[in-house]
């Protein structure tokens, strides 16, 4: 059933699923205990009845996940190419119907999946072609998309206090989209790449532009994370975690600002320091707020 | 050039690569600092000149990684099907030559890769077929492969004191194979699945049986980790990290003992508690030592 008004946007179901489950465990003292763990389910994606891929997911926002996955994998150029995304947990399936059939997307038409198995969590697969069109990606200029230290710390504090499945059951990654220190959207998944793709799907359905946004993730800053953020046109990506060498070199090539090891009031700016004001600027272009 | 004596085992090169690199960063105080990060490189695997996959790896033991990947993905049934694995970092390639051509392996012959994108780090891709032959996997019986609390704590302490790239540069996962509290082999990689596959390759080249071994990983206990350990016939898997719901249910099906959140003297036994002695047994079958 349709959930969004804009007739040119895809119609999405809003499938819901239980996010955690209880299990019995034995602790180090030999005592039986009950703990909660995140749930995890396969979601097989069919595009115009052709099976594309199976994602393992927590299942928080499956329709946005599928849409964002297709966009970030460059299988779609525009959400308007999709007529509907129908998720049915009773069969662990997501049916994507495109407006012009798969002919509307060269990637979907050819469907030649050449997996590159990445270092990141979850959706490790990328199409090798993605590496090729890195050169075509453009991020907002350093002078128009900036971040200062106090805004970054405020965003980190906002993320820290966010209620989450992780706090309840652990073993999930969270990703949040910020405008300055304002949290716009937050999602968790068993794989951090699902979480980032879900943000992309949410942005596409809500007409949100990445140019003046900040992406905060609990996962490592690997090459695929940098590529996904670039697809979403988000120029600043912050992680509680570290960085990989490929993530570092790609971000430098793209002019993306990567901040890692961000906990409490400490962090490291790995790349794109030109966007970063160690102290709030006295004057000059306004930072993201 | 050959490095192993046994003529029926594959001949492996011993390609070496730099494991860490220095980068300049800006810290929270706005000070420039130099830190080390793990290196990361693509390794494209060719089997009898056919491109199979590209792995993103730290590059510690690439030949064992490739062999273990092929075995754990069920593309090979036996390392003796391979004549040689030649890694050349100047072209980021691993050339696998099989003894009977790809005809020697149905999976390699058909080569139909149906990716399942998993929640685990790194090598997220599995062949859907793998799920099918879970039923055929047999682990050592609970009474013949046991672990007691003191042995587990000793293994954890041994792992804690192991020199590592992680200590120097962070952002890598480590996996170790133990016999009781004796560390037999340790490897790190930018993706934890690469690390586990490298252990599988090392076991295959050294004729090591998994039945009485313990696998200790820093990564989450996800479904693919459980499946890989089962392929390696390792009945006990321990992680510093948590568990996913699929990992939990698969381990229960396989009768595998999963221990997680193992730090210092604390841990949780998620599954297979029948293999676990909270205290060293006074009598009964000898635990792994």
């Amino acid at each position: 059933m349709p959930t969004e008004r804009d007739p040119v946007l895809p119609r999405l179901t809003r499938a819901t699923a239980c996010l955690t489950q209880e299990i019995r465990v034995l602790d180090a003292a030999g005592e039986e205990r009950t703990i909660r763990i995140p749930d995890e389910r396969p979601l097989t994606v069919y595009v115009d009845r052709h099976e594309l891929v199976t994602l393992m997911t927590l299942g928080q926002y499956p329709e946005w996940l599928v849409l964002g996955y297709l966009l970030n994998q460059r299988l779609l150029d525009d959400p308007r190419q999709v007529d509907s995304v129908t998720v049915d947990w009773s069969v662990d399936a997501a049916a994507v119907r495109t407006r012009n059939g798969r002919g509307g997307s060269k990637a979907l038409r050819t469907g030649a999946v050449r997996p590159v198995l990445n270092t990141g969590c979850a959706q490790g697969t990328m199409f090798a072609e993605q590496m090729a069109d890195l050169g075509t990606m453009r991020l907002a200029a350093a002078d128009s998309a900036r971040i200062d230290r106090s805004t970054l710390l405020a965003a980190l504090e906002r993320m820290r206090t966010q209620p989450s499945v992780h706090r309840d059951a652990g073993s999930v990654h969270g990703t949040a989209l910020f405008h300055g220190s304002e949290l716009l959207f937050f999602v968790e998944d068993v794989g951090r790449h699902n979480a980032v793709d879900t943000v992309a799907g949410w942005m596409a359905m809500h007409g949100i532009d990445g140019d003046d946004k900040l992406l905060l993730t609990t996962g490592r800053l690997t090459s695929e994370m940098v590529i996904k953020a670039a697809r979403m046109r988000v120029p600043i990506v912050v992680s509680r975690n570290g960085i990989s060498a490929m993530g570092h070199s790609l971000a430098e090539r793209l002019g993306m600002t990567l901040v890692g090891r961000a906990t409490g009031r400490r962090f490291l700016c790995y790349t794109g320091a030109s966007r970063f004001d160690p102290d709030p600027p006295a004057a000059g272009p306004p930072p993201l707020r």
Side-chain angles (χ1 to χ4, degrees), chain A residues 12-288:
Chain A
L12 309 184
T13 51
R14 283 219 175 140
T16 57
C18 176
L19 300 186
T20 63
Q21 58 177 257
E22 280 189 351
I23 62 169
R24 298 286 289 169
V25 300
L26 204 65
D27 68 17
E31 301 294 327
E32 268 213 31
R33 286 167 47 186
T34 299
I35 65 167
R36 300 196 71 80
I37 61 173
D39 217 323
E40 182 183 18
R41 42 182 65 80
L43 182 63
T44 300
V45 180
Y46 298 84
V47 179
D48 296 327
R49 296 213 164 79
H50 293 71
E51 179 176 345
L52 177 68
V53 70
T54 298
L55 307 173
M56 305 300 298
T57 178
L58 179 66
Q60 199 166 18
Y61 304 114
E63 297 85 0
W64 291 334
L65 165 60
V66 169
L67 191 63
Y69 173 78
L70 294 174
L71 289 167
N72 277 346
Q73 293 289 339
R74 269 291 176 88
L75 291 170
L76 295 174
D77 312 311
D78 188 314
R80 290 161 182 76
Q81 290 173 276
V82 173
D83 175 65
S84 62
V85 178
T86 305
V87 171
D88 180 352
W89 285 126
S90 70
V91 289
D92 292 332
V96 178
R97 201 169 77 198
T98 64
R99 290 192 197 281
N100 314 314
R102 295 190 306 158
S105 159
K106 178 176 177 300
L108 282 175
R109 194 169 57 250
T110 58
V113 179
R114 287 178 46 210
V116 176
L117 304 185
N118 291 296
T119 57
C121 289
Q123 294 171 222
T125 304
M126 284 194 318
F127 303 119
E129 290 66 30
Q130 286 204 333
M131 300 304 290
D133 42 55
L134 268 179
T136 69
M137 297 192 215
R138 290 279 168 271
L139 295 174
D143 58 359
S144 68
R146 309 183 58 77
I147 179 93
D148 63 49
R149 182 169 177 281
S150 57
T151 305
L152 175 59
L153 294 179
L156 289 172
E157 177 60 13
R158 175 69 184 82
M159 183 76 155
R160 193 185 65 75
T161 57
Q162 176 71 19
S164 69
V165 169
H166 186 273
R167 199 178 291 180
D168 176 32
S171 293
V172 291
H173 280 293
T175 300
L177 186 71
F178 282 85
H179 182 227
S181 59
E182 178 195 3
L183 189 149
L184 303 177
F185 179 67
F186 174 71
V187 61
E188 293 171 289
D189 209 309
V190 279
R192 67 193 165 84
H193 283 233
N194 288 345
V196 174
D197 285 342
T198 305
V199 173
W202 179 85
M203 290 169 72
M205 290 303 294
H206 295 80
I208 303 292
D209 183 348
D211 286 343
D212 59 349
K213 304 302 187 301
L214 179 155
L215 204 57
L216 204 160
T217 172
T218 60
R220 270 184 303 167
L221 299 167
T222 57
S223 52
E224 329 87 275
M225 291 295 279
V226 170
I227 290 172
K228 286 175 187 286
R231 294 237 177 284
M232 295 152 71
R233 301 179 48 82
V234 175
I236 303 171
V237 183
V238 179
S239 173
R240 290 183 185 170
N241 216 311
I243 193 168
S244 86
M246 296 275 292
H248 181 263
S249 56
L250 282 175
E252 286 204 314
R253 247 167 79 188
L254 290 162
M256 181 181 290
T257 298
L258 291 186
V259 176
R261 302 260 173 238
T263 53
R265 302 188 67 78
R266 306 183 64 176
F267 55 83
L268 295 174
C269 181
Y270 294 118
T271 64
S274 58
R275 298 180 187 282
F276 179 69
D277 302 306
D279 298 302
L288 307 185

